[in-house]
């Protein structure tokens, strides 16, 4: 990346101090080369055990064929909130969202026990179906559970480890569909049948592939990051499901764990290492921790505090609140970078809200510069990942379905990513980034609908 001079004198030192956050094209290509190798290690049965990128096969294979009918629920759990969605499918209504609700998931619940977590979710589900007066119906549900899981079937997914700050006890190693179904049964006031568990990347891919058959990658850039893609069964030694005519399956890469054995040390900085050491999953999800919404704000905060201690920013200011972890949220990067370069009004407002006193216009410009560096690095890291998958799929045109708050809200993320992907893919290949808003939820409902139709067809045959 070219280094543009934005400040005079002292700022030259500031740029130097931040230079390790800048990735060269050579670095990015190296990330892509290593990632491809690691995906191949993950796909291979013999080496999968030692792989960072686990490449879990999913059991989602069939797309809706238009014969699905009825009301379907989706539950989307994986970030700071969880969502419940009710969609209706039928002849006249190919897909109609009926209702949806977002429920906050307080820290207290995210760090409690599995029982507390699933009881709480079951309670919110019950409130939802009662509010929309569908509590007397038997509702098939697609459960988007966005954490690394080893799937043993469409309705069986064992949690391998928590990510994104969740630590609920008694869930790792257990089937999350079973835990949720038990919590629902325990209440005995609603009739919900879990038909499928899937990752948010899979849901995103499915809901877009439904409309766009060239869609081969599902990507999330939100609280966490991950991608799934369509792989040929012949390249997928781990596949133990049935083979049908398509001979393809969706692989949930769980690429957030890229770097966990050290392969990203050549670009990780002391800011990344210090942040990692404070997380409950220290040493894990290192790629994710350089990219996703749970972490970018905290990286910026750490850089700013470091620069302030070096006397390069906030020289006449008090910045006590900035010393506290997590005070600089990732959404602030989006807000600060939104306006044109010469308009620092939002940055000024945000610094005031953070209780920073007596800062200068130049301080605002420096804060913005740090935000831009951290966002750009994240966008380029994701671009390396997406380009690797596009090259691996190697089809003339690949559509990438993308969802996640960071991607949706950041003013430049999409452009930065697209520009870099273009440079990294093989000549002759083309791609398109397609926003799949709320795709993970809708995808889960669609997958549940297909599973429900197939169950009915099976019953009719017997
Ligand atoms: C999880 C993935 C998920 C991603 C995006 C990661 O922390 O491990 O399963 O897809 O976040 O939500």
């Amino acid at each position: 990346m070219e280094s543009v001079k934005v400040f005079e004198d002292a700022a030259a030192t500031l740029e130097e101090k931040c230079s390790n956050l800048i990735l060269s094209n050579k670095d990015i290509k190296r990330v892509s080369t290593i990632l491809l190798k690691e995906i191949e290690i993950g796909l291979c049965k013999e080496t999968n055990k030692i792989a960072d990128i686990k490449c879990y096969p999913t059991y989602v294979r069939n797309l809706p064929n238009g014969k699905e009918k009825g009301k379907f629920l989706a539950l989307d759990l994986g970030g700071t909130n969880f969502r419940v969605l009710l969609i209706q499918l039928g002849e006249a209504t190919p897909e109609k969202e009926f209702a949806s609700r977002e429920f906050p998931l307080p820290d207290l619940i995210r760090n409690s026990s599995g029982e507390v977590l699933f009881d709480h979710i079951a309670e919110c589900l019950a409130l939802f179906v009662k509010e929309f007066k569908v509590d007397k119906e038997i509702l098939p549900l697609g459960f988007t559970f966005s954490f690394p899981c080893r799937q043993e079937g469409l309705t069986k997914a064992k949690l391998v480890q928590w990510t994104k700050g969740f630590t609920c006890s008694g869930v790792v190693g257990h089937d999350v569909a079973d835990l949720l179904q038990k919590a629902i049964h325990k209440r005995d006031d609603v009739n919900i049948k879990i038909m499928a568990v899937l990752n948010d990347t899979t849901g995103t891919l499915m809901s877009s592939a439904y409309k766009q058959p060239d869609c081969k990658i599902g990507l999330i850039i939100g609280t966490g990051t991950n991608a799934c893609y369509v792989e040929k069964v012949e390249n997928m030694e781990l596949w133990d499901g049935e083979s049908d005519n398509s001979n393809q399956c969706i692989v949930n890469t769980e690429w957030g764990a890229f770097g966990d054995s050290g392969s990203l040390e050549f670009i990780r900085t002391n800011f990344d290492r210090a942040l990692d050491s404070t997380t409950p999953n220290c040493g894990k999800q290192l790629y994710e921790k350089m990219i996703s919404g749970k972490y970018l704000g905290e990286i910026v905060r750490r850089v700013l505090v470091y620069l302030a201690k070096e006397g390069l920013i906030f020289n006449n200011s008090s910045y006590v609140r900035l010393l506290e972890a997590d005070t600089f949220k990732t959404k602030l990067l989006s807000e600060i970078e939104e306006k044109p370069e010469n308009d620092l009004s939002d940055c000024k407002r945000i610094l005031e809200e953070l209780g920073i006193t007596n800062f200068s216009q130049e301080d605002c410009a420096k804060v913005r510069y740090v935000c831009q560096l951290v966002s750009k690095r994240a966008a380029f890291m994701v671009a390396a990942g997406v380009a690797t998958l596009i090259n691996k799929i190697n089809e003339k045109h690949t559509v990438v379905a993308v969802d996640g708050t960071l991607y949706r809200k950041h003013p430049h993320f999409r452009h930065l990513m697209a520009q870099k992907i273009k440079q990294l893919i093989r000549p002759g290949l083309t791609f398109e980034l397609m926003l799949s808003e709320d795709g993970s939820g809708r995808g889960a409902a669609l997958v549940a609908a297909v599973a429900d139709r197939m169950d009915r067809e099976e019953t009719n045959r017997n």
Side-chain angles (χ1 to χ4, degrees):
M1 189 177 88
E2 73 290 357
S3 160
V4 188
K5 266 227 150 158
V6 280
F7 316 109
E8 297 306 318
D9 47 59
T13 337
L14 179 137
E15 286 180 345
E16 264 167 47
K17 298 272 181 198
C18 294
S19 63
N20 55 356
L21 289 164
I22 299 176
L23 300 181
S24 67
N25 276 337
K26 201 167 146 219
D27 291 331
I28 300 164
K29 283 197 182 128
R30 191 165 158 202
V31 170
S32 168
T33 312
I34 307 173
L35 180 62
L36 177 62
K37 272 200 204 118
E38 300 222 353
I39 289 177
E40 278 162 358
I41 293 175
L43 288 173
C44 168
K45 212 172 196 164
E46 236 170 71
T47 48
N48 178 269
K49 267 206 180 78
I50 56 151
D52 281 346
I53 304 180
K54 288 293 181 200
C55 292
Y56 296 111
T58 73
Y59 287 78
V60 175
R61 312 199 70 204
N62 299 296
L63 283 168
N65 67 2
K67 291 194 183 140
E68 295 76 15
K69 260 190 232 127
K71 294 188 188 116
F72 300 92
L73 276 176
L75 171 69
D76 194 351
L77 173 72
T80 34
N81 298 313
F82 74 93
R83 282 169 65 71
V84 182
L85 208 79
L86 179 65
I87 69 164
Q88 171 139 36
L89 297 177
E91 277 136 32
T93 46
E95 183 202 328
K96 185 174 154 213
E97 183 174 317
F98 218 64
S100 86
R101 270 273 178 289
E102 196 159 281
F103 297 90
L105 206 57
D107 266 352
L108 206 63
I109 292 184
R110 273 183 283 167
N111 299 311
S112 58
S113 68
E115 192 171 2
V116 170
L117 173 73
F118 287 106
D119 284 352
H120 175 71
I121 295 172
E123 184 182 352
C124 296
L125 266 174
L127 286 174
F128 180 90
V129 294
K130 284 176 193 164
E131 181 183 348
F132 294 100
K133 303 197 170 34
V134 284
D135 51 316
K136 301 286 177 282
E137 304 176 29
I138 301 177
L139 289 169
L141 174 128
F143 181 18
T144 308
F145 183 75
S146 307
F147 300 92
C149 285
R150 201 174 293 282
Q151 297 254 168
E152 290 174 11
L154 195 54
T155 52
K156 194 163 185 173
K158 288 190 177 157
L159 176 65
V160 175
Q161 62 189 33
W162 284 116
T163 59
K164 298 176 280 197
F166 279 66
T167 59
C168 298
S169 57
V171 188
V172 171
H174 294 269
D175 173 13
V176 294
D178 186 48
L179 295 177
L180 176 61
Q181 192 74 69
K182 281 189 177 134
I184 294 170
H185 279 151
K186 202 159 79 181
R187 300 184 55 83
D188 204 22
D189 59 348
V190 286
N191 236 326
I192 293 169
K193 186 166 178 227
I194 302 173
M195 301 299 293
V197 194
L198 50 151
N199 186 260
D200 49 359
T201 54
T202 315
T204 301
L205 173 61
M206 287 304 285
S207 67
S208 302
Y210 180 37
K211 297 171 198 147
Q212 248 293 3
D214 283 345
C215 187
K216 296 282 163 65
I217 298 175
L219 169 67
I220 300 285
I221 312 163
T223 310
T225 183
N226 188 16
C228 71
Y229 73 104
V230 179
E231 181 58 282
K232 297 186 190 75
V233 168
E234 66 193 58
N235 294 339
M236 182 72 207
E237 283 182 13
L238 297 170
W239 175 251
D240 59 1
E242 301 151 22
S243 250
D244 58 19
N245 298 338
S246 72
N247 283 325
Q248 295 184 334
C249 76
I250 300 175
V251 173
N252 169 14
T253 64
E254 284 295 337
W255 76 13
F258 181 24
D260 291 6
S261 301
S263 54
L264 289 176
E265 291 314 305
F266 73 104
I267 46 172
R268 283 181 79 228
T269 65
N270 286 340
F271 305 118
D272 300 304
R273 295 191 182 97
L275 175 144
D276 178 44
S277 71
T278 65
T279 58
N281 58 345
C282 177
K284 304 258 188 255
Q285 300 290 107
L286 300 185
Y287 183 59
E288 173 165 273
K289 286 174 184 164
M290 297 172 86
I291 292 172
S292 71
K294 174 123 188 92
Y295 308 102
L296 294 194
E298 179 61 6
I299 298 177
V300 168
R301 186 194 71 81
R302 285 172 180 274
V303 178
L304 293 178
V305 169
Y306 164 74
L307 293 173
K309 288 191 172 157
E310 291 285 306
L312 292 167
I313 192 172
F314 303 142
N315 277 328
N316 301 313
S317 317
S318 154
Y319 53 88
V320 195
R321 262 193 54 209
L322 207 56
L323 296 171
E324 245 173 73
D326 292 324
T327 39
F328 202 98
K329 302 287 177 208
T330 299
K331 69 170 195 210
L332 300 182
L333 274 70
S334 299
E335 290 176 25
I336 288 173
E337 293 180 56
E338 175 92 59
K339 295 249 167 75
E341 248 0 271
N342 56 0
D343 182 348
L344 293 163
S345 55
D346 280 336
C347 189
K348 187 164 172 279
R349 172 186 53 80
I350 288 165
L351 294 184
E352 279 165 7
E353 283 169 10
L354 285 169
I356 299 170
T357 57
N358 216 18
F359 54 83
S360 65
Q361 184 79 355
E362 174 123 354
D363 286 334
C364 290
K366 290 174 181 172
V367 171
R368 185 183 165 115
Y369 175 71
V370 172
C371 290
Q372 285 170 330
L373 286 185
V374 172
S375 305
K376 198 175 232 179
R377 185 181 72 150
F380 287 178
M381 293 289 280
V382 184
V386 174
T388 309
L389 294 181
I390 293 175
N391 287 336
K392 183 159 198 332
I393 292 168
N394 199 23
E395 300 226 336
K396 202 161 167 15
H397 186 68
T398 303
V399 177
V400 185
V402 197
D403 199 4
T405 324
L406 178 58
Y407 179 83
R408 264 191 274 127
K409 297 268 163 77
H410 194 285
H412 311 298
F413 212 94
R414 180 197 162 91
H415 176 69
L416 289 165
M417 243 176 86
Q419 203 190 7
K420 196 50 77 183
I421 295 172
K422 226 181 261 170
Q423 292 170 12
L424 293 170
I425 56 175
R426 217 169 278 135
L429 302 186
T430 55
F431 72 99
E432 184 188 328
L433 300 177
M434 178 175 154
L435 179 68
S436 166
E437 202 148 351
D438 201 19
S440 57
R442 278 186 295 114
L446 290 175
V447 172
V450 175
D452 179 65
R453 168 178 54 81
M454 292 176 74
D455 265 11
R456 279 171 211 262
E457 286 170 0
E458 180 77 27
T459 319
N460 289 345
R461 267 199 298 273
N462 297 331

